[in-house]
Amino acid sequence: MKTMLKLALLLAAAFLASCGGKKEAGSTTDITPEVLKFYEETKNEKGEPFFVTKTATDLPADLKWEDGSDQEEFGSPDAKKGGTYRFFLTDYPRTLRHIGPDANNEIRDYVQDSVLIKMLGRHPNTLEMIPGCAKEWARGADKKTFYFKLDPDAKFSDGEPVRADNFFFSFFYYRYPHNQATWYHDFFSKKYEQIIKYDDLTLAVVVASAKPDAIEYAGALQPTAIAFHKEMSPDYLQTYNWRFIPTTGAYEVREGGLKKGQSVTFTRIQDWWAKDKKFYRQQYNPDRVVLEVIRDPDKAIEVFKKGDLDAYRLNLPERWHKSVPDDDPMVAKGYLHKATFYNQVPRPTYGFWLNTAKPLLGNQDVREGLQHSCNWDVVIQQIFYGDYERLNLAEEGFGEFTDTSIKARTFDPVKAAESFAKAGFTQRGKDGIFADAKGQRLSFTITNSYKVLESALVVIKEEARKAGVEFNVETPENTAGWKKFNEKQHDIAFTAFNVSVEMYPRFWEMWHSVNAYTQEGKLAVDNNNFTSFNDKEMDAMIDTYDKSEDIAEMKELAWKMQRRIHDAAVFIPGFKSPWYRTGHWRWMKFPAHFDARTARDHEENWLFWIDEDERKATQEAMKSGKTFEKSVKVYDQWRQK
C-alpha cells in the first residue's frame, strides 16, 4: 500500500507539473484525477502494475547503449529552408484529430504519420533505428525491455518539454474510452506490458513479447502533450475536433490555417527542436504547406499544369502517359519535370473487399464466382498501359513471410457460372444477369474510393456482365466513402490500405473477428475489417502469431493465414506497381538520389525543398519563351530484379 501511495504521489506531482498545476482560464473540467487513478489501478495481464517508477540507480549496469551515429544521412546537404509548398486534398477533413471517428482522412499524414517524431525513427534505407525523441536506447537481457534516454531538447509545438511523463500519458490517451478509437484501445492494451520511469529523461518500455521486431513497438511510441489534454471529458470528440494537437513534428496548424471547405495550411515551427539534428535537418524544408481542396482530380491536374500546385502524383498510368506526357510542351520545355522512383515496400492493397455481413456476400460460392468475374488483366492492359502488375494477395512484399505460391484467381466466366450455380443462381435474365429461383439477381454496389480510377471500374463492370454479374459503381467524396466502410454499410469496397514497412504482415486489424462483430452480435465499426471476416480458427492463429517470438512459427502461421484468406475468397486482389511516379515544377528540388528506399510518394520523407528564386525565374522564362533542359528521369537504384 505504501509503494502504491508513493507511486501515486510521484505521478501526481509530475502530472500536475506538466499541466502547470492549475486549470486554464474558463476550463470546466480537469482530467487529472482520472489520469492518476488510471496510473495507480492499471495492471498488465500478469496482474502487475503497468506504470512503475524507479530511480536511476535501478538501471541495469550492463546496458549497451546505441545512438544511431553509424547511420548516414539520407537527404541532401543542398536542401534550402523556406518557401511555400502547394498541394491538394480531394475532400475537406472532418476533424484535426488523428484518432477516433473520421480521423482516417487525407490530412492524417500531415498531422501524424509522416511528420510526427516518435520515440525512435527508422532509417528509410537501412531500416535501422535512429534517434527520435530518444537520443539513446538499449535492449535488456530479456529481449523485450527497451531503455531510452530522451533528448532534453525535445518539446511539443506548444512549448511543453517531452519527458517520461508524456509517454505515460500516451497510454491513458490511447486507451481513453471516449475517443472511440477501438484499434488503439486494443493495441495499447495488448502490445505493451509495462512502462518504467527512472527520471524525467530516462524510461523503459516492456513490450508484450520478445518478437524479432520488438524494438519497433517500443520505438514507435509517441509522447502526448499533457497540458493540452487536461480538459478531456466524455465530450472529447466534440471538444477536440478542431483543436490542433501539439506535435513533436515540424509543422502545426495555426490560427487562420483552416478555411472550411477550401484549404488547410501548415506552418513550419521556426525554432523546431529537431531542426539541427542529424537525421532531420535535411527534411521538412518548406516554411508553409498549403493544401487546397480540389475534389475533381481532372481539375487538380489542370491547376497543377498552370503552376498553382507544385506537384502531382502521376502513379496512375493515364496521368503519366496522357495528362502529362513526355511530349507535353511544359515538359519538353523543361518547366515540368517527371520522375519514376523504384522503391522496396509492401504494396498497397488495391482490390475489392467483400462485406460478408451482406447476405449474398456471406455465401462462399457467390464470393468464389465473383473472384472469376473480375477481369483485372484487361484493366491492367487497357487502362493502365501495361505498367501495373496483378496483385495476388493482401500481404505481398514481406519477403519470406509472403507465400508467393498463392495466385489471384483469373477471369473465367465458365468457372464463375459453376460457382454461382452451387449457390442457386442458374437463371440468366434478358439482361444476362444471373438470378435464383426467387428472382434475386447477382447485383452488387462497388463503393469506389478513387475518382481517378472510375475508368478501371467501367471495364470491370462491362467484363463482369459476361460472367452474369451486375456491378453498380458509386464514388462518394473521400471522407463519406471511408465513413461508409468504417460503419460496414458497403457491399464491396474498392480501396487500398497503405501497408507499413515492417518485417512481417499484420492480420489482426483486417481479419480478426473482434473487428467484425461485437459480443452482442452487432457489427463492430470503426476498424479495418472491411470484409466483416469472422473465422474462429483464424482468430486462434492470429492470437498465436501475435504472441509468437519464433520466426519459423510466425512464417508458417503467416502462410497458413494467407491461404485461408485466399480460400475464403473475401478479397479480390487488384493491381500493384513497383515504383511511384511524380510530376513537379522545376522549382521543386530533390536530392541527387531523389528519395529513400522505402518512400511510397514524394511526401513520405519530406526530402524536397521549394526554391522561390527558381519559381520566379521559371515564371519569367515562361513569359519570355526561354526553355530549359527536359527532365524525365528514372531512379532505379532500389529496383528489385
Side-chain angles (χ1 to χ4, degrees):
M1 180 64 73
K2 289 183 178 180
T3 301
M4 292 305 297
L5 178 60
K6 180 181 179 182
L7 170 62
L9 291 172
L10 287 170
L11 293 175
F15 189 83
L16 290 170
S18 299
C19 291
K22 60 182 180 180
K23 295 183 183 179
E24 298 291 329
S27 172
T28 58
T29 59
D30 185 350
I31 198 69
T32 303
E34 187 174 344
V35 175
L36 298 178
K37 182 180 180 182
F38 180 81
Y39 288 169
E40 185 174 355
E41 296 181 354
T42 301
K43 303 289 193 297
N44 58 29
E45 291 186 353
K46 297 179 180 179
E48 302 167 337
F50 187 87
F51 299 94
V52 176
T53 58
K54 296 184 179 181
T55 67
T57 58
D58 296 317
L59 280 168
D62 58 348
L63 293 176
K64 295 181 180 179
W65 293 95
E66 301 178 52
D67 61 7
S69 58
D70 59 327
Q71 299 296 306
E72 296 182 356
E73 293 183 68
F74 45 87
S76 171
D78 298 326
K80 295 170 61 175
K81 302 297 183 189
T84 297
Y85 168 59
R86 302 165 305 169
F87 203 60
F88 75 103
L89 305 170
T90 60
D91 198 6
Y92 192 75
R94 297 186 180 188
T95 183
L96 283 179
R97 289 181 284 98
H98 59 260
I99 60 172
D102 300 321
N104 267 336
N105 55 43
E106 286 184 87
I107 67 164
R108 181 183 173 86
D109 277 349
Y110 301 93
V111 300
Q112 177 83 358
D113 296 345
S114 295
V115 298
L116 195 74
I117 307 300
K118 302 178 182 180
M119 183 81 84
L120 296 178
R122 182 168 51 185
H123 197 288
N125 286 333
T126 67
L127 303 185
E128 296 294 331
M129 306 312 291
I130 56 176
C133 288
K135 63 177 184 176
E136 294 181 71
W137 59 95
R139 191 170 192 170
D142 64 356
K143 303 297 183 183
K144 65 178 188 177
T145 301
F146 295 89
Y147 300 85
F148 300 97
K149 293 181 180 179
L150 299 179
D151 189 326
D153 296 334
K155 64 180 180 179
F156 294 95
S157 52
D158 65 352
E160 180 181 331
V162 174
R163 298 295 182 258
D165 300 308
N166 297 103
F167 290 93
F168 270 50
F169 183 66
S170 288
F171 284 94
F172 173 84
Y173 174 72
Y174 285 107
R175 292 171 63 174
Y176 187 57
H178 301 296
N179 63 27
Q180 296 182 27
T182 54
W183 184 89
Y184 287 98
H185 296 171
D186 185 88
F187 187 87
F188 279 84
S189 297
K190 294 181 178 178
K191 297 298 183 182
Y192 302 93
E193 191 173 288
Q194 200 170 65
I195 184 168
I196 306 165
K197 174 183 176 180
Y198 292 92
D199 58 38
D200 283 346
L201 295 174
T202 312
L203 70 156
V205 176
V206 185
V207 296
S209 63
K211 297 180 78 68
D213 62 342
I215 181 67
E216 295 190 18
Y217 286 96
L221 273 179
Q222 55 197 49
T224 303
I226 296 174
F228 175 82
H229 289 98
K230 195 177 180 184
E231 297 175 53
M232 289 178 72
S233 71
D235 295 325
Y236 166 79
L237 295 177
Q238 291 72 37
T239 304
Y240 285 84
N241 199 56
W242 292 110
R243 297 173 66 178
F244 181 76
I245 298 174
T247 179
T248 54
Y251 293 100
E252 63 182 346
V253 176
R254 296 179 179 173
E255 186 175 353
L258 295 176
K259 294 184 178 179
K260 189 173 182 180
Q262 300 179 45
S263 67
V264 179
T265 297
F266 291 84
T267 303
R268 187 162 61 88
I269 302 164
Q270 293 301 310
D271 63 345
W272 182 44
W273 69 273
K275 66 184 179 68
D276 296 319
K277 304 293 181 181
K278 176 180 177 180
F279 296 107
Y280 303 102
R281 60 191 175 193
Q282 296 171 355
Q283 292 179 274
Y284 312 114
N285 299 303
D287 277 346
R288 296 170 73 242
V289 177
V290 179
L291 305 174
E292 181 182 352
V293 176
I294 306 176
R295 291 180 169 84
D296 184 348
D298 291 326
K299 179 182 178 182
I301 203 162
E302 293 306 316
V303 174
F304 163 62
K305 293 178 71 173
K306 289 179 181 178
D308 293 329
L309 297 177
D310 296 317
Y312 193 96
R313 295 183 178 103
L314 297 176
N315 296 319
L316 190 65
E318 183 179 8
R319 297 298 189 208
W320 180 267
H321 293 286
K322 293 187 67 176
S323 300
V324 191
D326 292 356
D327 59 359
D328 185 290
M330 304 303 284
V331 176
K333 294 178 181 180
Y335 305 141
L336 285 179
H337 293 185
K338 297 173 66 179
T340 297
F341 182 82
Y342 281 84
N343 52 19
Q344 293 183 12
V345 294
R347 301 304 167 189
T349 55
Y350 286 101
F352 292 152
W353 303 81
L354 311 184
N355 186 1
T356 60
K358 299 291 184 176
L360 277 182
L361 294 173
N363 186 296
Q364 171 81 22
D365 295 317
V366 169
R367 296 197 303 271
E368 289 189 11
L370 291 178
Q371 295 275 342
H372 291 295
S373 302
C374 297
N375 200 343
W376 281 108
D377 290 331
V378 167
V379 170
I380 289 170
Q381 293 304 316
Q382 292 185 1
I383 304 299
F384 298 151
Y385 295 78
D387 289 357
Y388 289 166
E389 302 168 3
R390 182 75 194 271
L391 186 71
N392 287 303
L393 67 165
E395 294 79 24
E396 280 202 34
F398 289 94
E400 63 179 333
F401 287 91
T402 295
D403 183 355
T404 56
S405 71
I406 296 176
K407 303 298 180 184
R409 297 171 178 85
T410 58
F411 177 72
D412 190 327
V414 174
K415 289 184 178 179
E418 291 173 353
S419 294
F420 294 144
K422 293 177 183 178
F425 291 85
T426 57
Q427 304 172 23
R428 296 191 82 153
K430 293 181 180 180
D431 58 1
I433 305 304
F434 275 114
D436 62 13
K438 296 179 180 179
Q440 185 176 26
R441 301 165 69 247
L442 285 178
S443 179
F444 307 90
T445 297
I446 298 174
T447 302
N448 172 33
S449 293
Y450 313 100
K451 186 173 179 61
V452 295
L453 294 177
E454 285 182 326
S455 59
L457 296 185
V458 169
V459 174
I460 288 289
K461 181 177 179 177
E462 292 174 349
E463 292 290 301
R465 296 190 75 87
K466 298 176 183 178
V469 175
E470 179 181 69
F471 283 143
N472 300 301
V473 178
E474 62 176 8
T475 307
E477 291 185 349
N478 187 274
T479 51
W482 276 92
K483 185 176 181 65
K484 188 170 186 176
F485 299 156
N486 284 328
E487 294 177 352
K488 314 293 176 69
Q489 296 302 308
H490 60 283
D491 286 347
I492 300 173
F494 175 44
T495 192
F497 293 101
N498 257 335
V499 186
S500 299
V501 179
E502 298 175 314
M503 179 184 292
Y504 47 83
R506 301 183 188 187
F507 292 91
W508 185 88
E509 291 88 339
M510 291 185 288
W511 306 114
H512 201 288
S513 68
V514 298
N515 295 318
Y517 294 93
T518 66
Q519 291 182 345
E520 294 76 27
K522 297 180 180 179
L523 282 172
V525 299
D526 292 324
N527 58 63
N528 293 341
N529 189 342
F530 288 177
T531 64
S532 303
F533 192 61
N534 182 19
D535 182 331
K536 298 306 178 185
E537 290 187 33
M538 183 75 166
D539 290 350
M541 286 192 283
I542 292 174
D543 293 341
T544 302
Y545 177 84
D546 284 350
K547 293 178 181 178
S548 177
E549 300 173 4
D550 181 81
I551 289 181
E553 180 185 41
M554 291 179 65
K555 174 185 172 181
E556 181 181 359
L557 285 168
W559 283 34
K560 285 182 178 179
M561 289 189 285
Q562 289 162 23
R563 178 62 63 180
R564 197 169 187 87
I565 294 165
H566 173 82
D567 291 346
V570 291
F571 173 63
I572 303 177
F575 56 87
K576 63 181 179 181
S577 67
W579 37 253
Y580 81 76
R581 286 170 169 168
T582 191
H584 63 93
W585 285 86
R586 64 183 301 274
W587 57 72
M588 185 174 176
K589 306 294 185 178
F590 289 84
H593 53 271
F594 199 78
D595 214 331
R597 170 187 170 192
T598 54
R600 289 169 290 192
D601 68 39
H602 67 269
E603 291 180 351
E604 180 99 13
N605 296 303
W606 288 83
L607 302 183
F608 63 86
W609 63 98
I610 302 296
D611 190 323
E612 293 293 354
D613 292 334
E614 286 280 23
R615 188 197 300 269
K616 183 178 179 181
T618 303
Q619 292 170 340
E620 291 176 351
M622 291 168 64
K623 293 178 182 178
S624 67
K626 179 182 177 181
T627 62
F628 302 94
E629 183 180 356
K630 180 178 178 179
S631 179
V632 179
K633 295 183 178 180
V634 175
Y635 299 87
D636 60 359
Q637 64 266 34
W638 296 109
R639 186 174 188 175
Q640 293 174 299
K641 307 301 182 183

